[in-house]
Amino acid sequence: MNDANYGDSMYLKVLGCGSALPKPGHQHSSQLLRLRDKVYMIDCGEGTQMQLLRFGGSWANLHRIFITHLHGDHCLGLPGLLSSMSMSGLDHPVHIYGPEGIEAYVHFIVETFCRDDAERIIPHQIDHRQVQRVYEDHSLVVTAFPLKHRVPCIGYRFDEKPKPRHIDREMCDFYQIPIAYFGLLKQGADFQQEDGTVIPNHKVTKSPRAPFSFAYCSDTAYYPPIVETIKGVDLLYHETTFGADKMDRAVATLHSTTTDAAHIAQQAEVGHLLIGHYSARYATPELVEELLSEVKSLFPRSFAAEDGLTLDFQKLRTL
Ligand SMILES: [Zn+2]
Ligand SMILES: [Zn+2]
């Protein structure tokens, strides 16, 4: 996912899908979400900058990094990534979101490795106990919500904003609507002719495609309160650290099994489910395939994350 023009879709790239003990092919957690000209990073485990290079990504358009929690497999890549960005001549601010502790951690990194960019590397500490909007720009809204883990941990929901309606030029000409009014038509306004006749918006515009949405839930125990917040997303990433037979390990470590992830996906009525954050015991493609088949037996529209996997949200809707 480099800086080429990716058109009108939204894309997710998995940079790392392993958990505490990384394995070749299952690096520590990190994902990139690309929408239009912006790239958003979620988690930044150790090795993330090398994974970026390996999979053709770049940090040129990376302005925001969302960290779920301060376990090493989700944030130890930050010193290396920020240090390299700083050494390469950082020409834009980088905002880093995360729970309690993120401010001190980012300050340490900046003071130690990138002092010249102290003004440009900005932490945002989020209260992990409540659902809240934490970021918004012209194309996207990001909502943070509590997960259930051994330390303060946040899930993130990314919602593309609705796109403007498309002008039907032929119909606008037919009703003699001036071009100066097109901006309002795109926002959904009706048009009133001089004799008072109202031309309803739907007669002169066409609906845009529905906005894309994505939710990221790692790390967490089975936690149904998240269902309401992640309801109906196109794609849910939910961790499956363990297979269904390791329920006791999942409960003890506040992680999820394949069954847990599938049940959350069912309840939230999501479009597709992406699993990952595999325990080191699932080090081969065959073992991951077993996890995936457990998930698919309950929620068929599921994929297994692997390092380098890219998902195109437009294509997901056709599957
Ligand atoms: Zn983890
Ligand atoms: Zn963790």
Side-chain angles (χ1 to χ4, degrees), residues 18-20 29 69 71 73-74 149 218-219 255 277:
S19 65
S29 287
H69 65 301
H71 274 160
D73 54 326
H74 298 258
H149 197 40
S218 181
D219 300 356
H255 280 297
H277 195 267

Side-chain angles (χ1 to χ4, degrees), residues 7 45 48 63 98 107 134 174:
T48 292
H63 294 229
H107 281 147
V134 292
F174 178 77

Side-chain angles (χ1 to χ4, degrees), residues 9-11 32-42 64-66 97 133-143 156-163 209 211-215 313:
S9 192
M10 186 158 89
Y11 299 84
L32 288 181
L33 189 69
R34 174 182 281 274
L35 178 64
R36 298 174 215 170
D37 59 340
K38 296 242 177 65
V39 179
Y40 308 86
M41 180 177 280
I42 313 142
R64 311 214 172 241
I65 302 173
F66 297 88
Y97 300 78
R133 182 173 291 199
V134 292
Y135 173 66
E136 179 172 2
D137 61 27
H138 66 279
S139 52
L140 188 82
V141 171
V142 183
T143 305
Y156 294 99
R157 175 176 173 140
F158 298 80
D159 282 286
E160 183 186 21
K161 285 187 174 170
K163 293 169 77 76
R209 62 159 174 73
F212 295 123
S213 53
F214 170 61
F313 282 67

Side-chain angles (χ1 to χ4, degrees), residues 261-280:
H263 283 155
I264 293 289
Q266 281 172 342
Q267 291 165 54
E269 299 172 326
V270 303
H272 290 85
L273 169 65
L274 176 66
I275 60 166
H277 195 267
Y278 313 119
S279 153

Side-chain angles (χ1 to χ4, degrees), residues 12 31 214-217 226 230 233-240 256-276 278 291-292 294-305 309 311 316 319:
L12 184 79
Q31 297 187 6
F214 170 61
Y216 182 102
C217 300
I226 64 176
I230 64 176
V233 289
D234 287 286
L235 179 66
L236 166 66
Y237 170 70
H238 194 292
E239 70 132 290
T240 52
S256 292
T257 65
T258 46
T259 314
D260 295 333
H263 283 155
I264 293 289
Q266 281 172 342
Q267 291 165 54
E269 299 172 326
V270 303
H272 290 85
L273 169 65
L274 176 66
I275 60 166
Y278 313 119
L291 295 179
L292 181 61
E294 286 177 11
V295 173
K296 278 186 156 179
S297 67
L298 295 166
F299 194 80
R301 299 185 307 280
S302 299
F303 304 95
L309 175 75
L311 293 175
L316 286 181
L319 299 177

Side-chain angles (χ1 to χ4, degrees), residues 24 26 34 45 49 56 81 91 112 123 142 147 158 161 173 203 220 223 233 257 269 272 287 303 314:
H26 293 175
R34 174 182 281 274
Q49 65 167 322
L81 178 67
D91 59 3
T112 314
V142 183
L147 295 175
F158 298 80
K161 285 187 174 170
D173 288 348
K203 285 201 167 177
T220 188
Y223 192 47
V233 289
T257 65
E269 299 172 326
H272 290 85
L287 291 168
F303 304 95
Q314 189 74 61

